[in-house]
Every structure is written in structure tokens, then in C-alpha cells.
Amino acid sequence: MRRKVKHICAIFIITTCLLASLSGCNSGTDSSTSEKGTSEEVQQASDVVEEMQQSLEFSTRDIEGETYTQDMFADYDLTMVNVFATWCSPCIREIPDLQKLRDEMADQGVNVVGIVLDGVDISGNVDEEAVEKAKILAEETGAVYPFLIPDEEYLNGILFDVEAVPKTFFVDKNGNIVGESYTGSRSLEDWKEIVESELKGITQ
């Protein structure tokens, strides 16, 4: 049964990614459509996501085969987790800026981690073609921060909430998701302002 659930979840994620790709990596909503009938469902889904987002526990590999767990967050006050896909142009364009942000804010206790959302296929297995593309992207963009492949639990289910890429959220040194999440790419200066704000939030 557990394997069947994971298979269904994997299908959901891949389908979401494909739909997002058809709309420029973003999934929009029709403002003219009434949400009255779905407000309770949205609230329930939000409550579930909020519950799951208390902390992260995982064990996964990066595109080079190195193993990572939630312990990776302990050495930094704040880690920026950027979920992207190898087919998403806005995702790719901002990777060099994310590397610059990591370089320039490391002395403030800031780290950056990427998650290759399409690093697993529809069955939940590692998609070697996507992994190879991610390796090429890392080389071409100069990114040296880790590109992680989604684990079997999709980071405690957090990745189920990704409706469009890039999607970015923040984690403190205890592995707790903190602050706001952000959909869409941004400039280096915009990200710096956001990160500084998130840093203030965890120190207050």
C-alpha cells in the first residue's frame, strides 16, 4: 500500500511539473473563477502542509552521489532551499545569482541548497537523464552548492506543495522551515533583501 501511495504521489508531482512547463514554469489561476466552493478544501490542505512543515528529516543523495541528511542545516543560521527543474528556463537563469548570494552571504551564516524536482521519474526512481542535465547545469552556471535529488518521502511531503518552479523556502539550523516561501525567480538584489529579512525573523 505504501508503495502504491508513493507511486500516486510521484505521478502527481510529475504531472504538476508538466503542467507548469506549459505555462512558463508557473501555474496561474483564473481570478474570475469563484473559490467559494473550494475554500474549505484549500484551508484543510494548508493546515496539512503547515503541520508537515514543522521540521525536515530526510536522507537523500545529490547529483554526484553524496549522501545528505537534515544535519546539513546545522552549520548555518539560515539555508535557502531552491526547488527547480532542468527544463525551467527561469530556474536556470537565476542559478548563477544564487551562487553569488551564497558566496556573498556565507559570512552571515547563509547557505543555499538546490533540489532537482525532476530528478525522479513518474515511478519515484532516479531519472538519470535529468541528473545528467543537472550536472551540466551546475558546470555551466558555476554552481557549487549541492543539487539534491528528492528522497522517497519528498522531504516529508513538502515537495507535494510545489505547484510551480522555481519554489524557494528557508530552513533554520535546527531543520525547521521558517519564514515565507516564494514562487518564481528573482534578481540577486531582491534575494538579498529577502534573505536579510528572513535572517532578522529567526533572530528576533
Side-chain angles (χ1 to χ4, degrees):
M1 175 64 72
R2 186 176 181 181
R3 180 176 298 177
K4 183 177 180 181
V5 171
K6 289 181 179 178
H7 179 75
I8 293 173
C9 290
I11 292 175
F12 170 78
I13 287 181
I14 298 301
T15 302
T16 299
C17 290
L18 291 175
L19 290 175
S21 69
L22 295 176
S23 58
C25 303
N26 293 304
S27 58
T29 56
D30 186 352
S31 59
S32 65
T33 301
S34 173
E35 297 181 354
K36 182 177 180 180
T38 61
S39 60
E40 291 184 4
E41 295 176 359
V42 170
Q43 182 60 51
Q44 290 173 357
S46 177
D47 291 343
V48 172
V49 170
E50 183 177 354
E51 181 179 352
M52 290 190 299
Q53 289 182 339
Q54 296 304 310
S55 63
L56 289 177
E57 292 185 8
F58 61 90
S59 179
T60 191
R61 296 184 297 111
D62 70 355
I63 58 175
E64 301 297 338
E66 184 175 349
T67 299
Y68 286 84
T69 70
Q70 65 277 0
D71 294 337
M72 69 185 300
F73 302 119
D75 295 332
Y76 301 90
D77 293 328
L78 187 71
T79 298
M80 177 184 190
V81 181
N82 178 256
V83 185
F84 72 96
T86 61
W87 43 259
C88 171
S89 296
C91 301
I92 296 169
R93 285 196 297 268
E94 75 171 352
I95 290 176
D97 282 342
L98 299 185
Q99 180 60 52
K100 289 179 182 177
L101 183 146
R102 181 178 185 266
D103 293 340
E104 296 177 13
M105 302 193 72
D107 59 350
Q108 298 181 50
V110 175
N111 191 28
V112 176
V113 172
I115 298 179
V116 188
L117 191 61
D118 57 333
V120 292
D121 62 21
I122 196 169
S123 299
N125 300 315
V126 175
D127 187 326
E128 297 297 344
E129 182 177 353
V131 170
E132 288 303 314
K133 288 180 180 179
K135 290 180 180 179
I136 294 173
L137 286 177
E139 181 177 356
E140 292 181 343
T141 60
V144 297
Y145 60 85
F147 285 2
L148 304 184
I149 300 170
D151 63 339
E152 291 184 351
E153 305 298 333
Y154 295 97
L155 268 68
N156 297 137
I158 299 303
L159 299 182
F160 297 154
D161 190 39
V162 177
E163 298 180 351
V165 287
K167 178 89 170 185
T168 302
F169 59 91
F170 295 90
V171 182
D172 67 14
K173 63 172 52 182
N174 298 312
N176 298 313
I177 295 180
V178 295
E180 302 293 330
S181 61
Y182 301 83
T183 300
S185 60
R186 287 167 172 75
S187 68
L188 175 60
E189 293 305 316
D190 286 344
W191 276 129
K192 282 184 177 180
E193 291 183 9
I194 290 171
V195 170
E196 288 171 355
S197 176
E198 296 295 346
L199 274 173
K200 290 180 181 178
I202 63 176
T203 57
Q204 290 178 350

